[in-house]
Amino acid sequence: MDSFIKNLPKVELHLHIEGTLEPELMFELAKRNNIDIPFDSPDQVRQAYQFHNLQSFLDIYYQGANVLIHEQDFYDLTWAYLLKCQQDNVIHTEIFFDPQTHTERGIEFETVIAGITRALKQADQELGISSQLIMCFLRHLDEESAFTTLSKALPYKKHIIGVGLDSSEVGHPPEKFQRVFQEALNHGFLSVAHAGEEGSAQNIRDAIEMLGVTRIDHGVRCSEDPELVAELVAHRMPLTVCPLSNTKLKVFETMQQHNIIELLRKGVCVTINSDDPAYFGGYMNDNFLAVAHAHEITKQELAQFSINAIEASFISPHAKEDMITQVRHYLANH
Ligand code: ADE
Ligand code: ZN
């Protein structure tokens, strides 16, 4: 089963590029950019990654991003992640970035997007990995800051397929960003939002109704509302679930208690993703393996996660067909 998982073609739909900053690169960039970090070694950084909820993670995560200054830093960060994709047989990835984490520190939007897109283009050409880019608004910041960020993104619209919403969910409901999402939709961006990670099932309903999302990021707390689960099934509303993230941030105490398999068997379009792999202990293969080791699951069900992700992705119908054929072919031969 492990080798089936490792070689299965996969699509990632929930990945924060800032969350791929491995401690070794953090140290290298801190040195290169003359930035103080409160750790003596990469191992010491790893030991500090003990989280008890989302906020305890976010505090460390935003601090880590301080070492990212130059275009080359964003390129190095993104390229390192894409090499992990190659290792894990990820054939397509849709990447979040948080512009406000950088613009609030005086880094230009242009610097961030130039570094990321240079790596994405190279991965397409040299590794055969396709990608899309999604810009997230930080929900702990105000609506005005989100509007400013949207206006900064407009000159780079051809590089950005959609907008998303991340950071602290509790206390910052979808409603707060209804107007800026409407404006983004008017400009032709697609939309997604983190909802039902730590926050209630109601946030999932509100993200769908108020923010016009075509996917829900996390969404695992839908189980608290059986009618909502039935609606997610009926509308094939995808959930980009992140198993290792959910156990590290104590959304579920153990992987055995995780509801991803139950949701899959109910017919929800659930997918497996890595969220912030440098912080949560693993990339795509590790997430698939963790689920498969904690639950009785068939090869067909594992392949269904890939097929769901392809269906939920922001690529052309033709590209989807090609990828689904790859997965079906793999399943038939392994
Ligand atoms: N930003 C990065 N990872 C996140 C997560 N899991 N939830 C909310 N915001 C995030
Ligand atoms: Zn996330």
Side-chain angles (χ1 to χ4, degrees), residues 118-223:
R118 180 156 66 91
L120 296 181
K121 188 172 171 197
Q122 188 179 344
D124 194 32
Q125 292 169 345
E126 295 179 11
L127 309 178
I129 297 171
S130 58
S131 59
Q132 296 284 9
L133 201 48
I134 299 168
M135 164 181 99
C136 286
F137 302 117
L138 296 178
R139 65 204 308 161
H140 66 272
L141 299 180
D142 60 21
E143 186 195 34
E144 190 190 341
S145 175
F147 267 111
T148 304
T149 305
L150 179 58
S151 67
K152 284 186 181 161
L154 293 180
Y156 307 101
K157 192 165 169 292
K158 70 166 194 247
H159 296 297
I160 302 171
I161 188 98
V163 298
L165 188 61
D166 64 2
S167 191
S168 324
E169 185 182 359
V170 174
H172 303 284
E175 188 189 347
K176 179 175 165 186
F177 296 95
Q178 187 165 13
R179 289 186 297 190
V180 72
F181 267 64
Q182 189 55 58
E183 173 104 355
L185 293 169
N186 292 345
H187 281 292
F189 291 101
L190 298 172
S191 71
V192 299
H194 285 51
E197 177 188 17
E198 271 195 353
S200 67
Q202 186 62 41
N203 280 353
I204 301 172
R205 289 187 176 280
D206 291 347
I208 295 168
E209 278 161 31
M210 298 180 179
L211 307 182
V213 300
T214 37
R215 299 198 294 246
I216 291 285
D217 297 313
H218 294 293
V220 289
R221 287 191 56 187
C222 65
S223 293

Side-chain angles (χ1 to χ4, degrees), residues 266-333:
K266 283 188 172 148
V268 182
C269 183
V270 278
T271 64
I272 293 183
N273 308 273
S274 70
D275 204 7
D276 302 285
Y279 292 84
F280 300 146
Y283 290 77
M284 283 290 270
N285 281 353
D286 299 309
N287 275 274
F288 270 79
L289 289 167
V291 170
H293 292 165
H295 297 265
E296 289 282 330
I297 182 169
T298 64
K299 289 180 177 176
Q300 185 155 8
E301 286 174 321
L302 288 164
Q304 189 63 44
F305 284 120
S306 279
I307 290 170
N308 287 352
I310 295 164
E311 181 189 334
S313 69
F314 297 151
I315 55 177
S316 70
H318 182 71
K320 287 185 185 185
E321 240 176 75
D322 269 6
M323 288 184 196
I324 288 177
T325 303
Q326 266 190 65
V327 174
R328 291 209 194 287
H329 190 257
Y330 179 80
L331 178 63
N333 290 287

Side-chain angles (χ1 to χ4, degrees), residues 40-113:
D40 293 332
S41 67
D43 276 348
Q44 210 186 63
V45 179
R46 283 203 174 83
Q47 278 159 24
Y49 292 171
Q50 309 288 340
F51 311 118
H52 50 275
N53 58 17
L54 175 59
Q55 195 59 51
S56 63
F57 153 69
L58 290 171
D59 294 342
I60 286 197
Y61 166 76
Y62 294 132
Q63 192 182 48
N66 285 337
V67 301
L68 298 162
I69 307 285
H70 302 292
E71 190 259 13
Q72 185 67 35
D73 305 340
F74 289 94
Y75 167 86
D76 289 344
L77 175 74
T78 309
W79 186 248
Y81 162 66
L82 291 161
L83 292 177
K84 300 280 190 184
C85 287
Q86 184 188 35
Q87 269 177 23
D88 282 8
N89 209 15
V90 172
I91 56 176
H92 175 75
T93 179
E94 304 196 348
I95 297 178
F96 295 133
F97 73 115
D98 288 339
Q100 289 151 300
T101 299
H102 313 298
T103 53
E104 292 247 311
R105 300 180 289 120
I107 312 293
E108 295 295 328
F109 198 102
E110 159 79 24
T111 304
V112 179
I113 202 128

